[in-house]
Amino acid sequence: MALHISEFCIACDACRQVCPNDAIAEDRPWYLIDADKCTECSGDHPEAQCASICPVEGAICDELGVPLNPPGSLTGIPPELLPRLAATGGGSVTTGGGA
Amino acid sequence: MDLPVIPIPPAAAAGGGCSSKGCGTGGDHLAGLPDAIRRKIQDHPCYSEDAHHYFARMHVAVAPACNIQCNYCNRKFDCSNESRPGVVSELLSPDQAVRKVLAVAAEIPQMTVLGIAGPGDPLANPERTFATFRMLSGKAPDIKLCVSTNGLRLPEFADEIAQHNIDHVTITINCVDPDVGARIYPWVYWNHRRLRGRDAAAVLIENQQKGLEMLIERGILVKVNSVMIPGINDRHLQEVSKVVKAKGAFLHNVMPLIAEAEHGTYFGVMGQASPTAEELQALQDECAGDMAMMRHCRQCRADAVGLLGEDRGAEFAMDKVDVMDIDYAAAMEKRARVREDLLGKLDAARGAKQAVRAAHEDAQAETAGLRPVLMAVATSGGGLVNQHFGHAREFLVYEASPEGVRFIGHRKTDLYCSGDETCGDGESVLDRTIAALAGCEAVLCSRIGFEPWGALEAAGVAPNGEHAMETIDEAVLAVYREMAAAGKLAIPAPLQKRA
């Protein structure tokens, strides 16, 4: 029984600091959970701590690869608006002046 | 970096003092503060409007984790052209941060302040944050240390902050009402749980307020930042101002929401409006009745380096820092000399300001009863009109009136993106600049080209290059009197064409 971290991880270090089992380590290109140490916090906390502080939807997954924080669950942004963002990418910052 | 030499009229430099009748008219946003606080912040660019023309600051990005989510923040995004809080290019370990700070402080001797502001929350990364402060207070004791936090863990760390020679803390407080907070914070990590909605906001607010009180009890200066979010907390921020002032915060900084869909934030994607410059100013003026307001904040990145409004971070990337050969002791001595020199100049400039204002009061008959005018100024520091129009990436806006001159805020020409022309939506830089100057009737600069001159005039903003190298106050008031003499102020402001 162990959680794992997907490529959506932004390496913010929040999960490592709150893991009761010291199961999470900084790694490239993203953080890594040691499956031998991870207990999914059972016995320590009612909720998996990494999944409770992770700011990115889809980054913490269970053994089946199902995200504990699915799209839209953390930011409240409707999932149908998310792919459009991914498509516009980084470089195209427009200027708005006052709205 | 060379700072311009400021010519000081001898008579003006000798003036000043609170007996002079220029004292207290408009201008000085810190006028009401006790002397002890004024002394503490006189060379702090983020706290003192005057100091920010002379002294530099830097942030080191050692704190990646955060324990709350704000609807205006998206931690996933880092465009290197972008400049806004929560965004960095290079995360540093505490050791790297200390090397970088010492390198910057050697190269930019007017640097007085080191802040840790993120890119997450410094107190959600206590080991990294305090390790950095501990090393720095040993190696560069002359540098002021600041920390900026969402306040969630302040009660836990107030004592440790007090121990580390950190005498300035900024808390971002957007509300004191959990119902308002529920629309700003989707979740807060607290006591091993992800809280949501009103409960989350209530915990955050309680800790912020308790933390504020604890810092004040320990003699630490506290500034409060608030993000103005139209329709959500704009009407509520006056209440916030009252509450934090009553508890002892010395300065309130109301900043405009940055919300662009491209940033991928909740507010950006959902089309939440940002305030216009005019709306921001109106709210700052309303809050100013309650406490000292700060209007020169540039909402810089968590890894910004240099004078406010500039970012020299790229010159000090770690690979460059690692090959620099620095004599730290000599650098600290140089900083002490530069600081002394700049404080002298700043003092003289303040004296000159008083004299200019007093002279304006003496000449009040020329402008009595006339309407106020907003003017934009291009400056590269030193409190002077000394920048070419085309080089200005931001303009400082001042209001001239029969009462005198006061600083209103800044307008960015490139907003939050400093990319080149390929990184935009085709609007020309000049169009954007003119749009940014909405409401200003004149723009003062050292020089200006032929093309922008015509475009500005057509848009109803009078370009003016005749006061180059004068102090800003002097130049703004001179132009105001010129407008008065020309009969332009007896009538309402002309309708401007928006670019």
Side-chain angles (χ1 to χ4, degrees):
Chain A
M1 194 170 80
L3 301 175
H4 74 265
I5 297 176
S6 81
E7 73 272 24
F8 294 112
C9 170
I10 57 166
C12 78
D13 200 55
C15 58
R16 187 191 61 79
Q17 297 184 56
V18 299
C19 176
N21 300 309
D22 278 331
I24 306 178
E26 186 180 351
D27 201 357
R28 296 285 164 87
W30 56 81
Y31 275 49
L32 198 64
I33 295 178
D34 182 337
D36 292 336
K37 291 186 181 172
C38 175
T39 61
E40 301 190 10
C41 292
S42 101
D44 287 306
H45 302 291
E47 299 170 8
Q49 292 303 292
C50 55
S52 297
I53 199 168
C54 179
V56 186
E57 292 157 357
I60 307 283
C61 301
D62 67 14
E63 281 178 322
L64 302 172
V66 177
L68 273 64
N69 297 306
S73 66
L74 299 184
T75 60
I77 298 175
E80 62 270 21
L81 293 178
L82 295 173
R84 192 176 60 80
L85 284 170
T88 54
S92 65
V93 176
T94 57
T95 57
Chain B
M1 194 182 78
D2 293 318
L3 283 173
V5 178
I6 304 153
I8 309 291
C18 273
S19 57
S20 98
K21 60 182 181 174
C23 191
T25 51
D28 188 352
H29 70 311
L30 301 174
L33 293 177
D35 282 349
I37 294 183
R38 290 169 63 111
R39 264 197 306 280
K40 260 185 162 177
I41 62 172
Q42 63 177 347
D43 57 351
H44 195 310
C46 305
Y47 292 166
S48 163
E49 216 164 270
D50 291 331
H52 96 271
H53 294 287
Y54 299 87
F55 293 101
R57 55 70 178 106
M58 76 178 284
H59 288 163
V60 282
V62 295
C66 195
N67 45 19
I68 72 172
Q69 175 71 50
C70 303
N71 278 333
Y72 45 75
C73 182
N74 171 17
R75 299 289 314 286
K76 281 185 285 188
F77 193 82
D78 175 19
C79 171
S80 59
N81 290 325
E82 228 197 335
S83 180
R84 65 182 167 94
V87 166
V88 295
S89 299
E90 186 181 43
L91 187 71
L92 304 177
S93 69
D95 285 322
Q96 288 176 314
V98 169
R99 290 211 300 281
K100 181 165 170 166
V101 171
L102 295 175
V104 170
E107 290 286 313
I108 306 179
Q110 62 272 47
M111 191 189 119
T112 50
V113 169
L114 178 276
I116 298 181
D121 188 78
L123 301 185
N125 307 263
E127 287 169 23
R128 299 168 64 104
T129 295
F130 290 116
T132 307
F133 283 142
R134 200 175 308 121
M135 285 188 271
L136 275 175
S137 52
K139 292 185 176 178
D142 58 322
I143 301 218
K144 287 180 198 292
L145 304 177
C146 308
V147 65
S148 180
T149 176
N150 61 38
L152 182 64
R153 293 180 75 180
L154 257 182
E156 191 182 338
F157 292 116
D159 282 326
E160 190 149 6
I161 288 170
Q163 280 165 20
H164 279 89
N165 195 27
I166 299 166
D167 55 5
H168 304 76
V169 173
T170 296
I171 317 175
T172 299
I173 299 180
N174 294 318
C175 56
V176 290
D177 174 349
D179 287 318
V180 175
R183 300 175 67 192
I184 303 172
Y185 306 104
W187 59 261
V188 164
Y189 176 84
W190 180 249
N191 201 15
H192 305 290
R193 293 177 58 209
R194 196 189 306 263
L195 305 179
R196 296 173 187 265
R198 197 179 186 281
D199 291 347
V203 163
L204 178 63
I205 290 167
E206 190 189 332
N207 280 291
Q208 288 172 333
Q209 295 298 320
K210 189 171 171 209
L212 167 59
E213 292 161 18
M214 290 174 74
L215 292 175
I216 298 296
E217 281 165 16
R218 285 157 183 73
I220 296 164
L221 285 180
V222 180
K223 162 171 138 274
V224 169
N225 277 354
S226 300
V227 179
M228 176 186 181
I229 311 162
I232 292 184
N233 72 349
D234 48 345
R235 292 173 183 280
H236 178 59
L237 284 179
Q238 254 184 289
E239 172 69 13
V240 171
S241 227
K242 280 200 186 79
V243 169
V244 301
K245 184 193 184 187
K247 292 193 175 167
F250 82 101
L251 191 59
H252 190 194
N253 174 26
V254 177
M255 307 175 291
L257 171 71
I258 300 173
E260 302 281 343
E262 298 79 23
H263 295 162
T265 61
Y266 175 84
F267 282 147
V269 171
M270 302 307 278
Q272 166 67 46
S274 300
T276 63
E278 291 91 341
E279 287 164 348
L280 177 68
Q281 182 192 331
L283 177 61
Q284 288 173 332
D285 286 348
E286 282 168 23
C287 293
D290 294 310
M291 75 181 297
M293 295 299 293
M294 166 166 167
R295 298 170 194 261
H296 65 282
C297 177
R298 300 303 198 280
Q299 295 174 281
C300 51
R301 288 167 58 115
D303 57 359
V305 173
L307 290 170
L308 292 199
E310 74 172 9
D311 189 352
R312 299 174 60 188
E315 293 170 45
F316 299 96
M318 272 328 289
D319 54 342
K320 293 177 184 152
V321 167
D322 283 337
V323 296
M324 287 180 184
D325 182 23
I326 300 158
D327 180 342
Y328 298 114
M332 190 149 82
E333 281 169 27
K334 185 173 181 192
R335 283 199 296 279
R337 283 196 306 274
V338 167
R339 190 168 311 180
E340 198 64 24
D341 180 46
L342 288 175
L343 279 176
K345 285 177 177 165
L346 182 52
D347 225 31
R350 281 179 181 142
K353 216 172 188 175
Q354 298 276 355
V356 167
R357 287 176 178 172
H360 183 70
E361 282 190 9
D362 289 340
Q364 233 171 16
E366 291 173 40
T367 56
L370 299 178
R371 65 179 173 84
V373 169
L374 292 185
M375 295 182 208
V377 175
T379 175
S380 55
L384 302 179
V385 179
N386 58 0
Q387 196 172 33
H388 191 295
F389 177 83
H391 295 171
R393 285 172 54 190
E394 65 168 18
F395 292 88
L396 303 190
V397 174
Y398 290 81
E399 182 195 76
S401 71
E403 284 75 48
V405 58
R406 67 179 183 129
F407 177 66
I408 294 293
H410 63 100
R411 306 271 181 91
K412 293 186 185 188
T413 60
D414 55 6
L415 288 167
Y416 315 108
C417 172
S418 54
D420 61 19
E421 285 300 276
T422 60
C423 176
D425 55 7
E427 208 181 19
S428 81
V429 174
L430 183 56
D431 289 342
R432 277 184 267 157
T433 302
I434 290 173
L437 297 181
C440 298
E441 292 181 53
V443 56
L444 281 57
C445 49
S446 64
R447 296 182 65 182
I448 181 167
F450 183 72
E451 188 203 343
W453 183 286
L456 281 166
E457 275 198 326
V461 186
N464 189 314
E466 288 164 28
H467 296 272
M469 297 314 289
E470 289 178 20
T471 67
I472 292 171
D473 281 34
E474 199 179 357
V476 166
L477 289 176
V479 172
Y480 187 66
R481 283 196 295 268
E482 287 160 22
M483 291 174 78
K488 290 180 184 163
L489 302 184
I491 51 169
L495 274 181
Q496 291 186 340
K497 287 179 213 146
R498 299 295 287 253

